[in-house]
Amino acid sequence: MDDDLITMDDMTNEEIVSLLKDAERLLPVAHGLEYLPLLQGKLLANMFFEPSTRTRMSFETAMKRLGGDVVNLGDVNSSSAVKGETLYDTMRMVDGYCDIAALRHPRQGAAQYAADACAIPIMNGGDGAGHHPTQTLLDLFTIQQAHGHLEGLTVALIGDLRYGRTVHSLSHALARFDCNLIFISPAQLAMPVDIVSDLIAAGANITETEDLYGSVPDADVIYMTRIQKERFPDEDEYMKVAGIYKLTAADLSGAKGEMIVMHPLPRLNEISSDVDETRHARYFEQAFNGVVARMALMCRLLGVAIPSGDV
Amino acid sequence: MSAGEMRRVTAINNGTVIDHVPAGSALTVLRMLGISGDRSSPISLVMNVPSSKHGRKDIIKVEDRELTQDELDRLALIAPKASVAIIRSYSVAEKREVSIGAELVNIASCTFSNCITINPREPQDHRLRVVNSDPLELRCRYCGRPQEMDELIDNLL
């Protein structure tokens, strides 16, 4: 594995499977049932140049559960970025302060750029409409928890496939595990052509449609996403597609018993609250899994072995 | 280059001859190489001449300057099949190949409007990965976006 995690291409399938096993072993630690200070004395820099709740908090939780500590960039509006400091200068400073950094940035390519500037490991927490690989790790962990494996599953990805970095990273990873991908979106939010061609070149089996409800019976995973207002150039374009997909409990009546509904959260109206009470809902567990996935990742990038067996 | 083609411009004493430049690209090549008309020695261009290999082509002769391999490698972006001769005392002293490596460093900037490198104050190198050399396919090292050649020419550094 590389020293950084910028895209899922930085990990082989074997490394992904191994990391998911580590995450499984760390569940009691994430639940607070065991104290395992594997990263005591290590300092994480949380560099979030864009708003984040789950990703930032789960990185922080993961580090603290493992005995380490965290420093935050803080509110980007009161950081040196508003004074015009370059990302390069900011990250060179962080490189001196901390042992590892998580970065979220509105510009695509920021994570690789930071990694090139720093000696410490960089974890991409989302770069523009680019990649979000730590979300992918927790998504894969959630899917494996539900189905026991990743290979050959049928996964429907719904909503904003154009700007959604989460679905970009996840699609790349699922294709490598021979999953069947169903891309469901309005035409103006379709998966970018270059990503689809990359996936096809990698041997992915892809169906593209605008029909969510017809895909429910075939799916092993329904992965809903929010239409991201902040990524649209103007409000009119956003309003044309806002609220286009809404999943209710009744829509799931024809679903497979073990099918799971996922969402990277936050949700708006795309999953009705009555889905929360069905056996299919998995998005809150998914959010929790961000902690174990990031614990396992930080141990891996900092070269800290996780004791095998019961922890 | 045939004798007929040679006659279109005079032979040069010392300098560099770049042959098999894609038709119509000679001016862009000069721009890429940072060669402008304000130098004292002559520059000769022949454009749209018949070529047995490529239909039509351009030819550039730059007098009193031997282009370095680094400079020639920049040519790969628009003239990957160019052949280059270094001329000394009216004779071909060396033939050099245009080659494209694994990455183009500081030759052009990424064309994607939301790439981190769009901020001119960010100091690290502009890096475009060569995904395929024929036909040429480039992607930004940082944002990963495929580069459109037409747009990339406007982003030459």
Side-chain angles (χ1 to χ4, degrees), chain B residues 44-80:
Chain B
S44 311
L45 296 189
V46 184
M47 298 180 76
N48 289 320
V49 291
S51 158
S52 55
K53 284 185 189 169
H54 309 300
R56 298 211 163 252
K57 66 176 182 178
D58 292 358
I59 304 165
I60 301 167
K61 298 184 177 188
V62 184
E63 293 194 37
D64 299 326
R65 181 162 158 194
E66 294 187 9
L67 297 178
T68 65
Q69 190 65 45
D70 274 0
E71 287 176 306
L72 296 177
D73 289 347
R74 294 168 66 90
L75 283 179
L77 194 57
I78 50 172

Short mmCIF file of all heavy atoms in Angstrom, two decimals, chain B residues 44-80:
data_model
loop_
_atom_site.label_atom_id
_atom_site.label_comp_id
_atom_site.label_asym_id
_atom_site.label_seq_id
_atom_site.Cartn_x
_atom_site.Cartn_y
_atom_site.Cartn_z
N SER B 44 13.17 29.81 -40.17
CA SER B 44 12.44 29.56 -41.42
C SER B 44 11.33 28.56 -41.16
O SER B 44 11.55 27.54 -40.50
CB SER B 44 13.38 28.97 -42.49
OG SER B 44 14.56 29.74 -42.58
N LEU B 45 10.16 28.87 -41.69
CA LEU B 45 9.04 27.95 -41.57
C LEU B 45 8.58 27.54 -42.96
O LEU B 45 8.48 28.38 -43.85
CB LEU B 45 7.85 28.63 -40.90
CG LEU B 45 7.95 29.10 -39.46
CD1 LEU B 45 6.56 29.53 -39.00
CD2 LEU B 45 8.47 27.99 -38.58
N VAL B 46 8.30 26.27 -43.11
CA VAL B 46 7.63 25.82 -44.33
C VAL B 46 6.37 25.11 -43.85
O VAL B 46 6.46 24.20 -43.01
CB VAL B 46 8.51 24.84 -45.13
CG1 VAL B 46 7.82 24.49 -46.43
CG2 VAL B 46 9.87 25.46 -45.39
N MET B 47 5.22 25.55 -44.37
CA MET B 47 3.98 24.97 -43.87
C MET B 47 3.20 24.31 -44.98
O MET B 47 3.21 24.77 -46.13
CB MET B 47 3.14 26.05 -43.16
CG MET B 47 3.86 26.64 -41.94
SD MET B 47 2.93 27.90 -41.07
CE MET B 47 1.74 26.93 -40.19
N ASN B 48 2.54 23.22 -44.62
CA ASN B 48 1.64 22.50 -45.54
C ASN B 48 2.33 21.96 -46.79
O ASN B 48 1.74 21.99 -47.87
CB ASN B 48 0.46 23.40 -45.94
CG ASN B 48 -0.50 23.60 -44.80
OD1 ASN B 48 -0.78 22.65 -44.05
ND2 ASN B 48 -0.98 24.81 -44.62
N VAL B 49 3.55 21.50 -46.64
CA VAL B 49 4.21 20.89 -47.81
C VAL B 49 3.83 19.41 -47.86
O VAL B 49 3.54 18.80 -46.83
CB VAL B 49 5.74 21.04 -47.76
CG1 VAL B 49 6.13 22.48 -47.96
CG2 VAL B 49 6.31 20.49 -46.47
N PRO B 50 3.80 18.82 -49.07
CA PRO B 50 3.45 17.40 -49.18
C PRO B 50 4.45 16.53 -48.42
O PRO B 50 5.65 16.84 -48.38
CB PRO B 50 3.52 17.11 -50.68
CG PRO B 50 3.43 18.45 -51.33
CD PRO B 50 4.05 19.43 -50.38
N SER B 51 3.93 15.48 -47.80
CA SER B 51 4.79 14.55 -47.07
C SER B 51 4.41 13.14 -47.47
O SER B 51 3.22 12.79 -47.49
CB SER B 51 4.58 14.75 -45.57
OG SER B 51 4.96 13.59 -44.86
N SER B 52 5.39 12.34 -47.80
CA SER B 52 5.08 10.96 -48.18
C SER B 52 4.54 10.17 -46.99
O SER B 52 3.74 9.26 -47.14
CB SER B 52 6.34 10.29 -48.73
OG SER B 52 7.38 10.38 -47.78
N LYS B 53 4.95 10.55 -45.77
CA LYS B 53 4.53 9.79 -44.59
C LYS B 53 3.17 10.25 -44.06
O LYS B 53 2.37 9.45 -43.62
CB LYS B 53 5.57 9.96 -43.47
CG LYS B 53 6.84 9.16 -43.65
CD LYS B 53 7.71 9.32 -42.40
CE LYS B 53 9.08 8.73 -42.62
NZ LYS B 53 10.00 9.11 -41.54
N HIS B 54 2.97 11.57 -44.04
CA HIS B 54 1.82 12.09 -43.30
C HIS B 54 0.88 12.97 -44.13
O HIS B 54 0.10 13.72 -43.58
CB HIS B 54 2.30 12.91 -42.09
CG HIS B 54 3.30 12.19 -41.24
ND1 HIS B 54 3.01 11.00 -40.62
CD2 HIS B 54 4.59 12.47 -40.94
CE1 HIS B 54 4.09 10.59 -39.94
NE2 HIS B 54 5.06 11.46 -40.14
N GLY B 55 0.97 12.88 -45.46
CA GLY B 55 0.11 13.73 -46.28
C GLY B 55 0.67 15.13 -46.44
O GLY B 55 1.26 15.45 -47.45
N ARG B 56 0.52 15.92 -45.37
CA ARG B 56 1.12 17.26 -45.38
C ARG B 56 1.84 17.48 -44.06
O ARG B 56 1.50 16.86 -43.06
CB ARG B 56 0.05 18.34 -45.58
CG ARG B 56 -0.66 18.21 -46.90
CD ARG B 56 -1.12 19.53 -47.47
NE ARG B 56 -1.43 19.37 -48.89
CZ ARG B 56 -0.67 19.87 -49.86
NH1 ARG B 56 0.40 20.58 -49.60
NH2 ARG B 56 -1.00 19.68 -51.12
N LYS B 57 2.80 18.37 -44.09
CA LYS B 57 3.58 18.59 -42.88
C LYS B 57 4.15 20.00 -42.87
O LYS B 57 4.11 20.71 -43.88
CB LYS B 57 4.73 17.58 -42.82
CG LYS B 57 5.76 17.79 -43.95
CD LYS B 57 6.93 16.86 -43.84
CE LYS B 57 7.93 17.15 -44.97
NZ LYS B 57 9.13 16.29 -44.88
N ASP B 58 4.69 20.38 -41.72
CA ASP B 58 5.44 21.64 -41.60
C ASP B 58 6.91 21.31 -41.32
O ASP B 58 7.23 20.23 -40.81
CB ASP B 58 4.90 22.49 -40.43
CG ASP B 58 3.49 23.03 -40.69
OD1 ASP B 58 2.94 22.78 -41.78
OD2 ASP B 58 2.95 23.68 -39.78
N ILE B 59 7.76 22.25 -41.64
CA ILE B 59 9.20 22.10 -41.35
C ILE B 59 9.68 23.41 -40.71
O ILE B 59 9.27 24.49 -41.15
CB ILE B 59 10.03 21.85 -42.63
CG1 ILE B 59 9.49 20.61 -43.38
CG2 ILE B 59 11.52 21.67 -42.30
CD1 ILE B 59 10.01 20.52 -44.81
N ILE B 60 10.51 23.28 -39.70
CA ILE B 60 11.01 24.49 -39.01
C ILE B 60 12.54 24.44 -39.02
O ILE B 60 13.13 23.39 -38.72
CB ILE B 60 10.52 24.52 -37.53
CG1 ILE B 60 9.00 24.52 -37.48
CG2 ILE B 60 11.10 25.73 -36.80
CD1 ILE B 60 8.44 24.24 -36.10
N LYS B 61 13.15 25.57 -39.35
CA LYS B 61 14.61 25.66 -39.25
C LYS B 61 14.97 26.83 -38.34
O LYS B 61 14.56 27.97 -38.60
CB LYS B 61 15.23 25.88 -40.63
CG LYS B 61 14.96 24.73 -41.59
CD LYS B 61 15.68 24.95 -42.89
CE LYS B 61 15.45 23.77 -43.83
NZ LYS B 61 16.29 23.85 -45.03
N VAL B 62 15.69 26.54 -37.32
CA VAL B 62 16.08 27.57 -36.36
C VAL B 62 17.60 27.71 -36.44
O VAL B 62 18.33 26.75 -36.15
CB VAL B 62 15.69 27.16 -34.92
CG1 VAL B 62 16.01 28.28 -33.94
CG2 VAL B 62 14.22 26.80 -34.84
N GLU B 63 18.07 28.85 -36.89
CA GLU B 63 19.51 29.00 -37.09
C GLU B 63 20.23 29.41 -35.80
O GLU B 63 19.67 30.12 -34.96
CB GLU B 63 19.77 30.04 -38.19
CG GLU B 63 19.29 29.51 -39.54
CD GLU B 63 19.81 30.31 -40.73
OE1 GLU B 63 20.96 30.77 -40.68
OE2 GLU B 63 19.04 30.47 -41.69
N ASP B 64 21.43 28.95 -35.67
CA ASP B 64 22.33 29.32 -34.57
C ASP B 64 21.79 28.93 -33.20
O ASP B 64 22.08 29.59 -32.20
CB ASP B 64 22.65 30.83 -34.61
CG ASP B 64 23.35 31.22 -35.90
OD1 ASP B 64 24.14 30.37 -36.40
OD2 ASP B 64 23.09 32.31 -36.42
N ARG B 65 20.98 27.91 -33.18
CA ARG B 65 20.56 27.43 -31.87
C ARG B 65 20.34 25.92 -31.95
O ARG B 65 19.60 25.43 -32.81
CB ARG B 65 19.26 28.11 -31.45
CG ARG B 65 18.84 27.61 -30.08
CD ARG B 65 17.84 28.55 -29.42
NE ARG B 65 17.08 27.82 -28.41
CZ ARG B 65 15.98 28.26 -27.86
NH1 ARG B 65 15.50 29.42 -28.20
NH2 ARG B 65 15.37 27.54 -26.93
N GLU B 66 21.02 25.19 -31.07
CA GLU B 66 20.83 23.75 -30.98
C GLU B 66 19.85 23.48 -29.85
O GLU B 66 20.14 23.77 -28.69
CB GLU B 66 22.17 23.04 -30.74
CG GLU B 66 23.11 23.18 -31.91
CD GLU B 66 24.37 22.34 -31.76
OE1 GLU B 66 24.43 21.52 -30.80
OE2 GLU B 66 25.28 22.52 -32.58
N LEU B 67 18.69 22.96 -30.22
CA LEU B 67 17.70 22.70 -29.19
C LEU B 67 18.14 21.52 -28.33
O LEU B 67 18.71 20.54 -28.83
CB LEU B 67 16.35 22.39 -29.83
CG LEU B 67 15.76 23.55 -30.64
CD1 LEU B 67 14.43 23.13 -31.27
CD2 LEU B 67 15.54 24.77 -29.78
N THR B 68 17.90 21.64 -27.05
CA THR B 68 18.29 20.56 -26.14
C THR B 68 17.24 19.44 -26.18
O THR B 68 16.12 19.64 -26.65
CB THR B 68 18.36 21.08 -24.70
OG1 THR B 68 17.04 21.48 -24.30
CG2 THR B 68 19.30 22.26 -24.58
N GLN B 69 17.62 18.30 -25.64
CA GLN B 69 16.67 17.18 -25.61
C GLN B 69 15.44 17.56 -24.77
O GLN B 69 14.32 17.21 -25.11
CB GLN B 69 17.35 15.93 -25.02
CG GLN B 69 16.52 14.66 -25.17
CD GLN B 69 16.31 14.25 -26.64
OE1 GLN B 69 17.24 14.25 -27.43
NE2 GLN B 69 15.07 13.94 -27.00
N ASP B 70 15.65 18.29 -23.68
CA ASP B 70 14.51 18.72 -22.85
C ASP B 70 13.53 19.55 -23.67
O ASP B 70 12.32 19.39 -23.58
CB ASP B 70 15.00 19.57 -21.67
CG ASP B 70 15.40 18.72 -20.50
OD1 ASP B 70 15.29 17.47 -20.62
OD2 ASP B 70 15.86 19.28 -19.49
N GLU B 71 14.08 20.45 -24.46
CA GLU B 71 13.21 21.29 -25.29
C GLU B 71 12.47 20.44 -26.32
O GLU B 71 11.29 20.64 -26.58
CB GLU B 71 14.03 22.37 -26.01
CG GLU B 71 14.52 23.47 -25.08
CD GLU B 71 15.42 24.46 -25.80
OE1 GLU B 71 16.42 24.04 -26.42
OE2 GLU B 71 15.11 25.66 -25.75
N LEU B 72 13.21 19.49 -26.88
CA LEU B 72 12.60 18.67 -27.92
C LEU B 72 11.49 17.78 -27.36
O LEU B 72 10.49 17.52 -28.02
CB LEU B 72 13.67 17.81 -28.59
CG LEU B 72 14.74 18.61 -29.33
CD1 LEU B 72 15.81 17.69 -29.89
CD2 LEU B 72 14.10 19.42 -30.45
N ASP B 73 11.68 17.37 -26.12
CA ASP B 73 10.66 16.51 -25.52
C ASP B 73 9.32 17.24 -25.34
O ASP B 73 8.27 16.63 -25.31
CB ASP B 73 11.15 15.95 -24.18
CG ASP B 73 12.24 14.91 -24.40
OD1 ASP B 73 12.41 14.48 -25.56
OD2 ASP B 73 12.92 14.56 -23.43
N ARG B 74 9.40 18.57 -25.23
CA ARG B 74 8.16 19.34 -25.14
C ARG B 74 7.34 19.20 -26.43
O ARG B 74 6.13 19.34 -26.43
CB ARG B 74 8.48 20.83 -24.92
CG ARG B 74 9.12 21.11 -23.58
CD ARG B 74 9.68 22.51 -23.55
NE ARG B 74 8.65 23.52 -23.61
CZ ARG B 74 8.04 24.06 -22.55
NH1 ARG B 74 8.37 23.67 -21.35
NH2 ARG B 74 7.13 24.98 -22.69
N LEU B 75 8.07 18.94 -27.54
CA LEU B 75 7.40 18.80 -28.83
C LEU B 75 6.43 17.64 -28.86
O LEU B 75 5.49 17.61 -29.65
CB LEU B 75 8.43 18.54 -29.93
CG LEU B 75 9.24 19.70 -30.44
CD1 LEU B 75 10.21 19.18 -31.51
CD2 LEU B 75 8.32 20.72 -31.05
N ALA B 76 6.66 16.66 -27.97
CA ALA B 76 5.86 15.44 -28.02
C ALA B 76 4.38 15.73 -27.88
O ALA B 76 3.55 14.97 -28.35
CB ALA B 76 6.33 14.48 -26.93
N LEU B 77 4.07 16.84 -27.23
CA LEU B 77 2.68 17.18 -27.01
C LEU B 77 1.93 17.39 -28.33
O LEU B 77 0.79 16.98 -28.47
CB LEU B 77 2.61 18.46 -26.17
CG LEU B 77 1.29 18.82 -25.55
CD1 LEU B 77 0.76 17.71 -24.67
CD2 LEU B 77 1.43 20.10 -24.73
N ILE B 78 2.57 18.03 -29.30
CA ILE B 78 1.85 18.29 -30.56
C ILE B 78 2.54 17.69 -31.78
O ILE B 78 1.92 17.58 -32.83
CB ILE B 78 1.62 19.80 -30.80
CG1 ILE B 78 2.92 20.56 -30.64
CG2 ILE B 78 0.55 20.35 -29.92
CD1 ILE B 78 2.77 21.99 -31.07
N ALA B 79 3.80 17.33 -31.64
CA ALA B 79 4.50 16.78 -32.81
C ALA B 79 5.27 15.53 -32.39
O ALA B 79 6.50 15.48 -32.48
CB ALA B 79 5.45 17.83 -33.39
N PRO B 80 4.54 14.51 -31.96
CA PRO B 80 5.23 13.33 -31.42
C PRO B 80 6.05 12.57 -32.47
O PRO B 80 6.95 11.80 -32.13
CB PRO B 80 4.10 12.46 -30.87
CG PRO B 80 2.87 12.92 -31.58
CD PRO B 80 3.08 14.37 -31.89
#
